[in-house]
Every structure is written in structure tokens, then in C-alpha cells.
Amino acid sequence: MLNFELYNPTNYVFGKGQIEQLGTLIPKNAKVLLAYGGGSIFKNGIYDSVMKNLKDFEVTEFGGIEPNPHFETLQKAIAIVKEKKIDFILAVGGGSVIDGVKFISGATNYEGNPIEILQKRILIKENAVPFGTVLTLPATGSEMNSGAVVTIESTQEKLAFGGSALFPQFSICDPTVIESLPKRQIQNGIVDAFTHVMEQYLTYPHDAYLQDRIAEGVLTTLIEIGPKVVEHPTDYALASNYMWSCTMALNGLLNKGVPTDWATHMIGHELTALYGIDHARTLAIVGPHLYTVLFETKKEKLAQYGKRIFHLTGSDDEIAKEAINKTVEFFHLMGMDTKLSQYTDDYEKAAAFISNRFQERGWIAMGEKQNLTPEKVKQIVEMSY
């Protein structure tokens, strides 16, 4: 097992009605920036519940954070935080709103140009504005980790950043919020969480046995409940297991002591930046083809995955190949199209564009074996057409 440190200071407040604790979780006398997205919280009653529990605080609202939060939009929020001397931020939304708030938190007191945080992947280890979250859409796990992704609209780049100062102080996670979500968003959440686990699990054999079993537990749970929770979002057992699985998929536990990949996300981010395709759907497009191109280095773990998750039999090669097919079947069951051409007619430029962009950034040796080159990235995207 690889050496690791496990640090996660987020107070995870889970269950029905936990929003009633909001007023006790924010520091007294704090000036609060309430950040949210497109306004769905006004339709489902969450806004009213939040404001009721913020009645003792001075609150400034900032709405309009995009599904893939734009650097340009977040800059406006940073200006407000500075102008009004905000000392606490509350993110009410899904992963995109939370990611946006992480950027606001880390960039407000950053001494250089905030765009450097994205382009140079600056780690934010101190001087962040404290923040908490009220989760409205389970998917990304951003409610219990210190990473985030932000889009620079002007350059069509979607870039990751993070740092130990960017953990939420608390996250209120009430599974009943999914009752009003469109099916598409729940489908996205399941596939997003599933791929988060795969990025940390589907690498090569190692001796972190417990991490493998925890990862397989999350994968099995998502396969079991995924199609059901889409059709029955008011079922609390399904909703609560869905929400907790999404958090467990990316709260830092699964990646301790193990090799990780993340290339599916890196390629998927480019498809979102280029075409505006939902994040989870880009993962469903890219993942199976990446497993195919890197089959020889992932074969042993693919076979383990096939045996333990899908109970497949045969030779390791046969099981590994069929495991990829089973993954695609699950994505289809979850309402995912798995070809780029099903989302855009302007797909033929994608492979060369993404490969060249990776080359320009110096991303020439990616994945758990550092064997994913820009040439292989091009091959993966072309197979995704």
C-alpha cells in the first residue's frame, strides 16, 4: 500500500430536516454570501428553508452560477465578497455551485491573478474564505472534498484545482432534495459517481485490499439502486443510498494508498468545454474507449472488476473485455448515449484539437502508468465518435 495522509475536516450533516441546523453551523455575526445556480431552489422550497434559517445573519445573494461554473462569472462574486467584506460563503446547489464557491473562497485573498489558480494548478492551502454547503444534487462529491473544476469561457478550457483550505466547513445533505430533480440529473449523478470510483479503482492490482472492497461496494450499490432511484426519487432508502454513495465516491477515502487515473475526466472536461455536453455524459462517452485503448495495462483490474461486480466467468482476457461491455450496458440503462456523434454533428475536429491541447499544456504522460500520451488521447476520442 502506498504512503498516504487522510485529512477531511468537513462536518457531514446527513438526513431529513437537517437544514434546521444551518443557523448553528455558521459562525455568529458572519456576513454571508448565499451562492446558487439557475434558480431551481426557488421552485423546490429550498431557498425559503435556507433563508428561514439565515434570519439572524446579514445575507448577500449571488445567483447565476452555471452548470459548469465560469471563471468570468465567479470573478463578479469575488468582487462582491471583497466589497462587502463577506466572511462566510454558503453554497446552495449541486457540484457546480459548490465548485464555484471553492474558487471564490480560494481566489478572494489570492495575491496574483486568480486565473493562475486554474492555469497553473495553484494549491490553496491558506487564506481561503470559510464556506459551507447545502447539497441539492448528489453527483460530484464536492460537498466533502477539496477539489473543484472551473471553466474559462474565453478559452474554452475546463480546469481542475484544489487545496487543503478548500474543504467545506460543513455540508448539509438531505436526500429528500432529489424528489424534485429531473430524471436526467439523477442519471448524471449516478454515472458521475460511478466513474469517480472507476478512476480510483480501475488501474492495476495492488495490496490495498480494503480500498478495493470499499470501491466495489460503492459500484455495486450504484448499479443496484441507479435505475430504481431515477424512477422512484421519493423512496427515501434509494435516495439516501444514492446521496451517500456519491459522497463516498469522492471524499478522499478511496484514493488513499492506491494508484489513481483521472484521464477519463481530463478528456471528458474537454468535451464539455467544447460542446457543452453534461459532464457525466462525457465520462460515459470516454471511459469505455479509454479502457479499451489501455486494455493491456488495465486488464488485470478489469478482470477483477468483471468477476466481483458482474460475476463473469472465463479467461481473464474474456472477462476483462466483457466487463467493458457490461459497463456500457449499465451506462445505456442509465440513459446515457455513449458516442460523441449522438450529441453533436461537429465532432470530427475533437480528437486532434484535444490531443494538441494536451500536448501544448505538457500533459504528455497521464494515467496511473503515465503511459497515456496525446497520441493515445486522439485514438480514444476518435473511437468515441
Side-chain angles (χ1 to χ4, degrees):
M1 195 183 304
L2 304 175
N3 294 355
F4 67 87
E5 295 182 16
L6 177 57
Y7 172 75
N8 194 320
T10 300
N11 180 12
Y12 190 79
V13 186
F14 181 90
K16 293 179 183 177
Q18 293 285 32
I19 200 166
E20 298 299 324
Q21 295 199 47
L22 180 58
T24 66
L25 294 168
I26 298 175
K28 289 183 178 179
N29 302 316
K31 293 183 178 179
V32 178
L33 182 76
L34 172 60
Y36 50 85
S40 62
I41 62 171
F42 294 98
K43 300 173 185 175
N44 56 23
I46 293 173
Y47 174 83
D48 291 337
S49 296
V50 168
M51 292 305 293
K52 174 186 172 184
N53 288 283
L54 291 179
K55 65 182 186 300
D56 296 328
F57 297 90
E58 180 182 330
V59 178
T60 300
E61 296 185 30
F62 184 83
I65 296 177
E66 300 87 357
N68 294 289
H70 291 175
F71 166 78
E72 293 82 357
T73 299
L74 303 176
Q75 285 283 79
K76 298 175 185 176
I78 291 168
I80 292 172
V81 171
K82 290 180 176 179
E83 176 192 348
K84 301 210 169 186
K85 295 181 170 54
I86 299 291
D87 46 26
F88 195 89
I89 309 171
L90 182 66
V92 181
S96 291
V97 172
I98 298 171
D99 280 10
V101 163
K102 287 179 180 178
F103 187 79
I104 299 165
S105 167
T108 294
N109 297 320
Y110 180 70
E111 293 185 358
N113 185 338
I115 204 168
E116 295 173 351
I117 296 171
L118 304 174
Q119 293 180 335
K120 297 182 180 180
R121 304 191 78 168
I122 304 292
L123 291 175
I124 305 298
K125 298 182 179 180
E126 58 186 0
N127 296 328
V129 180
F131 68 96
T133 87
V134 176
L135 182 66
T136 64
L137 171 58
T140 70
S142 194
E143 66 276 4
M144 201 180 180
N145 65 43
S146 61
V149 184
V150 163
T151 295
I152 305 173
E153 187 179 20
S154 61
T155 59
Q156 289 188 297
E157 293 178 281
K158 185 174 179 180
L159 300 173
F161 67 100
S164 57
L166 297 181
F167 283 98
Q169 289 199 347
F170 64 82
S171 285
I172 295 174
C173 302
D174 182 343
T176 62
V177 299
I178 78 160
E179 293 178 4
S180 61
L181 292 177
K183 287 184 178 182
R184 183 184 183 94
Q185 290 187 330
I186 299 176
Q187 292 169 334
N188 286 350
I190 293 287
V191 172
D192 196 4
F194 191 92
T195 310
H196 287 159
V197 179
M198 295 288 270
E199 297 275 36
Q200 301 164 93
Y201 169 78
L202 197 66
T203 55
Y204 55 83
H206 50 75
D207 57 2
Y209 309 133
L210 180 59
Q211 286 89 320
D212 270 7
R213 291 297 189 181
I214 297 172
E216 289 158 0
V218 178
L219 293 173
T220 301
T221 302
L222 290 169
I223 290 171
E224 177 184 348
I225 68 170
K228 298 175 185 176
V229 74
V230 171
E231 299 301 328
H232 306 286
T234 59
D235 184 314
Y236 188 75
L238 295 173
S240 55
N241 280 282
Y242 162 42
M243 181 171 275
W244 182 224
S245 292
C246 289
T247 300
M248 280 294 293
L250 200 57
N251 66 358
L253 185 61
L254 298 184
N255 70 6
K256 300 309 177 191
V258 306
T260 60
D261 187 350
W262 298 108
T264 296
H265 272 70
M266 294 168 78
I267 301 170
H269 288 163
E270 299 301 320
L271 295 180
T272 295
L274 281 172
Y275 301 108
I277 303 169
D278 299 6
H279 170 60
R281 291 168 194 265
T282 69
L283 303 179
I285 292 168
V286 173
H289 300 295
L290 183 141
Y291 309 150
T292 299
V293 170
L294 299 180
F295 185 80
E296 288 304 317
T297 53
K298 291 184 178 287
K299 180 169 61 178
E300 291 178 88
K301 209 61 181 288
L302 276 165
Q304 175 182 312
Y305 164 68
K307 292 171 188 175
R308 294 185 181 181
I309 303 299
F310 298 110
H311 311 293
L312 301 174
T313 58
S315 70
D316 279 1
D317 271 47
E318 291 169 339
I319 293 171
K321 289 175 182 176
E322 184 58 21
I324 298 173
N325 294 334
K326 289 290 185 182
T327 304
V328 174
E329 287 178 14
F330 174 63
F331 290 163
H332 288 165
L333 185 62
M334 292 310 304
M336 301 287 119
D337 290 323
T338 52
K339 292 290 185 181
L340 183 56
S341 56
Q342 293 172 297
Y343 295 92
T344 177
D345 293 329
D346 186 28
Y347 57 84
E348 292 184 355
K349 67 178 183 182
F353 182 86
I354 294 171
S355 176
N356 290 338
R357 177 164 271 182
F358 282 19
Q359 187 81 44
E360 291 167 359
R361 290 179 186 151
W363 296 2
I364 57 175
M366 298 171 292
E368 70 274 11
K369 290 278 192 181
Q370 300 293 286
N371 65 340
L372 182 59
T373 63
E375 291 76 20
K376 288 181 180 176
V377 169
K378 184 178 181 183
Q379 184 182 357
I380 290 165
V381 178
E382 285 176 340
M383 289 176 66
S384 302
Y385 288 170

